[in-house]
């Protein structure tokens, strides 16, 4: 299951990076850079957080190769991206969010770390790559958008972190739930409550 989620998340986020790069009219090298950062940035941030050696990232040769071929195919056959039917790579990003947030939670739980670490690992693995992608592309990061985004990573963070679900079929269900919830939050503009400070009235100082 770990390898399956890793492959799903890597391919989905790589395509998400390609889509954003094409929208910003990047050249081929820019597409590769943005795609690789999107696909592997979250895992690198997670490893730093929970104490896994950073060089573990370079032991994922097959994933780098898979991401390279997927990005190359998407560049030369852009119709691959046209079936997403959603703006700004939301579809691929939702799949990556579900797969990588669940994978991050599994990673923390398998290391015997507390619930807080599982929640943080799920959030950073699921959103870290997309965050770096959006910053490099000069966009407002998706997790800061109005629709609910990073909050959905609490689902695998809590459920997996507490050990409630460990079977493969249950983990796949969690991934699917995060993807569906993310897409629904975009479709119906679901938002978390927010509050703004009242404007400060500017009164002229009369010296008295």
């Amino acid at each position: 299951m770990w390898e399956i989620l890793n492959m799903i998340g890597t391919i989905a986020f790589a395509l998400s990076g390609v889509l954003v790069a094409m929208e910003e009219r990047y050249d081929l090298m820019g597409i590769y850079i943005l795609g690789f950062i999107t696909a592997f940035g979250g895992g690198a941030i997670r490893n730093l957080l929970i104490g896994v050696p950073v060089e573990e990232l370079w032991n994922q040769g097959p994933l780098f190769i898979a991401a390279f071929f997927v990005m190359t195919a998407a560049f030369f056959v852009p119709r691959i991206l046209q079936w997403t039917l959603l703006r700004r790579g939301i579809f691929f990003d939702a799949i990556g969010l579900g797969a990588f947030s669940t994978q991050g939670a599994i990673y923390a739980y398998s290391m015997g770390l507390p619930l807080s670490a599982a929640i943080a690992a799920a959030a950073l693995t699921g959103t870290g790559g997309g965050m770096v992608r959006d910053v490099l592309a000069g966009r407002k990061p998706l997790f800061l958008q109005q629709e609910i985004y990073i909050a959905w990573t609490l689902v695998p963070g809590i459920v997996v972190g507490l050990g409630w679900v460990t079977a493969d079929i249950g983990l796949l269900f969690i991934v699917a739930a995060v993807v569906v919830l993310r897409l629904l939050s975009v479709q119906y503009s679901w938002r978390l409550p927010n509050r703004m400070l009242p404007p400060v009235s500017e009164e002229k100082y009369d010296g008295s």
Side-chain angles (χ1 to χ4, degrees):
M1 180 54 58
W2 169 267
E3 296 300 333
I4 291 174
L5 293 179
N6 219 4
M7 183 62 71
I8 292 173
T10 298
I11 292 176
F13 268 155
L15 289 174
S16 173
V18 171
L19 188 57
V20 171
M22 285 185 173
E23 289 180 351
E24 299 295 331
R25 299 183 180 274
Y26 286 11
D27 60 16
L28 180 59
M29 186 55 64
I31 285 175
Y32 284 138
I33 292 174
L34 211 60
F36 278 123
I37 286 175
T38 308
F40 297 98
I45 295 173
R46 175 206 61 210
N47 289 356
L48 288 173
L49 175 72
I50 62 179
V52 177
V54 179
E55 55 267 23
E56 287 294 322
L57 180 67
W58 308 115
N59 295 329
Q60 305 182 72
L63 291 179
F64 279 98
I65 295 173
F68 173 80
F69 280 111
V70 166
M71 289 187 290
T72 303
F75 178 80
F76 289 104
V77 189
R79 290 183 180 274
I80 294 174
L81 302 176
Q82 292 179 356
W83 64 279
T84 62
L85 303 178
L86 288 167
R87 59 182 174 82
R88 297 171 70 88
I90 297 296
F91 180 77
F92 291 125
D93 201 87
I95 296 176
L97 179 70
F100 271 174
S101 61
T102 303
Q103 186 210 45
I106 293 173
Y107 206 153
Y109 179 74
S110 66
M111 294 180 65
L113 298 175
L115 175 62
S116 57
I119 293 174
L124 290 176
T125 310
T127 65
M131 176 181 62
V132 178
R133 173 203 64 205
D134 291 338
V135 170
L136 290 179
R139 295 184 171 190
K140 181 179 179 180
L142 274 177
F143 77 95
L144 296 178
Q145 301 285 348
Q146 293 178 334
E147 299 93 2
I148 302 174
Y149 183 66
I150 195 171
W152 295 130
T153 64
L154 289 172
V155 176
I158 294 174
V159 175
V160 176
L162 291 174
W164 292 346
V165 175
T166 55
D168 289 352
I169 187 65
L171 295 173
L172 287 176
F173 180 79
I174 293 174
V175 173
V178 174
V179 173
V180 170
L181 288 170
R182 171 57 185 159
L183 294 178
L184 288 176
S185 66
V186 174
Q187 180 67 27
Y188 296 105
S189 298
W190 293 347
R191 302 176 182 179
L192 294 172
N194 62 77
R195 186 177 296 275
M196 297 179 61
L197 292 174
V200 178
S201 59
E202 296 184 1
E203 297 180 1
K204 293 184 177 179
Y205 179 67
D206 59 4
S208 59

